[in-house]
Amino acid sequence: MKFKSYISMAACGLILAACSTPEAKNLSEISNASKADSLIYYFAQMRGAEYDREAQRDTTLATEQAKKAYVMGVQAGLNAAKADNEAYNRGLFLGMQMAMNFQQFSKDYGIQLNKKVFLESLAEAMSSDSLANPSDMQREFYRIMGEFNSGKEERENQAASESLEKAASGMNLKKLADNLWGEITEKTDGEKIKDGDNVETSIVLAHADGKSIEAPLPSKIKVGARNIPAPLGEALKTLKSGETGKFATSAKALFGQRATQMGLEPSDVVIMTIKATVAPTEDTAKSK
């Protein structure tokens, strides 16, 4: 019952904190600002800049409503902590972490985790005369997570493949390899690009609707290198030196797990416009 009462108390604090929106003030507007006020002002400015950087990647965070909600959430956390109860604050911190984990798990796997089971299991673990072997618990946890991840991977791959085929077919692109469709848009009589070649590239990325995608991609590539995503490497090998091609792949195939960090869904279609030129080798320079 204690766990339930703690949750109720925390919930009340969060509700009360959300009733008023903090006023935005510059340091010069804070009367009789102390050195400590200045310190926390600059710290808050740093956190605000951090939020802004995240909002540039995830536009849902960039709205005024989202920014206001963020500040109110911070206020709720500040108000919910208790100055004289470290155990409670530790529990509060874990509870907030788990609430966010539960939301992310639901988004990633489509499954709602049971808060009651978590709290009852936590209470059981902390009241038991002999705690369970942590290694056994960890092994079972990762075994089950592995099953969830395998299912998620399979669903993502299928969704990415279906959306890619649909978009590429609508553009009349030809299937060139797994997760890669395309065509040569500007032809040359240059040498065929192959594994081992060092190429200088110009790569422009966009969504299927033409909206630009900002992503860090190298301008100099060694074809066949392990660090080059498979769709990009395969696309280069369809080109001759100096040619330009238009290619379609999925965000998952091109960026892997980094796709979501870049604000992309794994099934998003990515259009690559690539111009590649084989860099001259020492032998080429000598022959000239």
Side-chain angles (χ1 to χ4, degrees):
M1 294 298 293
K2 286 185 178 181
F3 285 94
K4 292 182 179 179
S5 64
Y6 283 160
I7 292 172
S8 298
M9 291 168 68
C12 290
L14 298 180
I15 292 171
L16 291 173
C19 292
S20 60
T21 305
E23 181 182 353
K25 280 189 176 181
N26 186 276
L27 182 60
S28 62
E29 298 177 287
I30 300 174
S31 60
N32 301 317
S34 66
K35 185 179 291 186
D37 290 334
S38 298
L39 177 71
I40 203 65
Y41 171 83
Y42 291 119
F43 184 78
Q45 288 287 311
M46 291 162 58
R47 297 286 75 79
E50 184 180 83
Y51 181 92
D52 184 65
R53 287 193 296 272
E54 292 182 19
Q56 291 176 24
R57 295 191 297 268
D58 182 355
T59 55
T60 62
L61 299 175
T63 66
E64 288 304 313
Q65 183 179 6
K67 292 177 182 179
K68 188 177 294 185
Y70 176 75
V71 174
M72 291 172 67
V74 173
Q75 181 186 26
L78 290 170
N79 292 345
K82 294 185 177 181
D84 58 348
N85 197 328
E86 182 181 355
Y88 177 85
N89 291 338
R90 284 173 176 262
L92 178 67
F93 183 68
L94 176 60
M96 293 303 297
Q97 285 183 312
M98 292 307 300
M100 295 176 68
N101 289 339
F102 280 23
Q103 291 177 9
Q104 190 63 46
F105 196 91
S106 176
K107 179 181 178 181
D108 290 344
Y109 302 98
I111 296 172
Q112 295 288 341
L113 295 175
N114 193 316
K115 296 178 184 178
K116 182 180 179 182
V117 170
F118 173 73
L119 287 171
E120 291 176 346
S121 301
L122 180 64
E124 190 273 336
M126 297 182 69
S127 63
S128 176
D129 292 334
S130 58
L131 291 175
N133 188 318
S135 297
D136 292 341
M137 299 299 101
Q138 187 178 60
R139 183 175 59 253
E140 285 302 299
F141 172 82
Y142 283 113
R143 179 186 65 79
I144 298 172
M145 274 305 306
E147 294 177 3
F148 279 122
N149 284 325
S150 294
K152 178 174 179 282
E153 183 83 5
E154 186 176 337
R155 291 191 299 274
E156 286 182 351
N157 287 339
Q158 182 176 351
S161 179
E162 290 175 354
S163 62
L164 174 58
E165 182 173 358
K166 181 179 179 180
S169 298
M171 298 178 190
N172 295 317
L173 300 178
K174 179 182 178 182
K175 186 169 184 179
L176 304 173
D178 288 342
N179 301 310
L180 183 68
W181 299 61
E183 64 177 357
I184 310 302
T185 55
E186 294 182 18
K187 297 185 177 183
T188 70
D189 294 326
E191 59 181 298
K192 189 77 171 178
I193 296 175
K194 60 186 183 302
D195 281 334
D197 283 343
N198 291 303
V199 297
E200 297 180 354
T201 64
S202 169
I203 306 173
V204 177
L205 303 182
H207 290 276
D209 62 4
K211 184 179 179 181
S212 177
I213 297 175
E214 297 296 329
L217 287 174
S219 59
K220 295 182 179 180
I221 297 174
K222 186 177 181 66
V223 181
R226 291 185 179 181
N227 63 329
I228 302 303
L232 178 55
E234 291 299 325
L236 288 169
K237 288 188 288 185
T238 67
L239 298 171
K240 293 180 181 179
S241 182
E243 286 188 333
T244 301
K246 177 182 178 181
F247 304 94
T249 187
S250 69
K252 181 173 179 57
L254 187 59
F255 298 116
Q257 296 302 320
R258 292 188 300 128
T260 53
Q261 298 172 11
M262 301 168 63
L264 298 170
E265 293 296 326
S267 60
D268 283 349
V269 174
V270 178
I271 305 301
M272 304 185 291
T273 301
I274 304 173
K275 181 174 183 178
T277 304
V278 176
T281 63
E282 291 184 9
D283 292 338
T284 304
K286 289 178 181 178
S287 66
K288 292 183 177 180

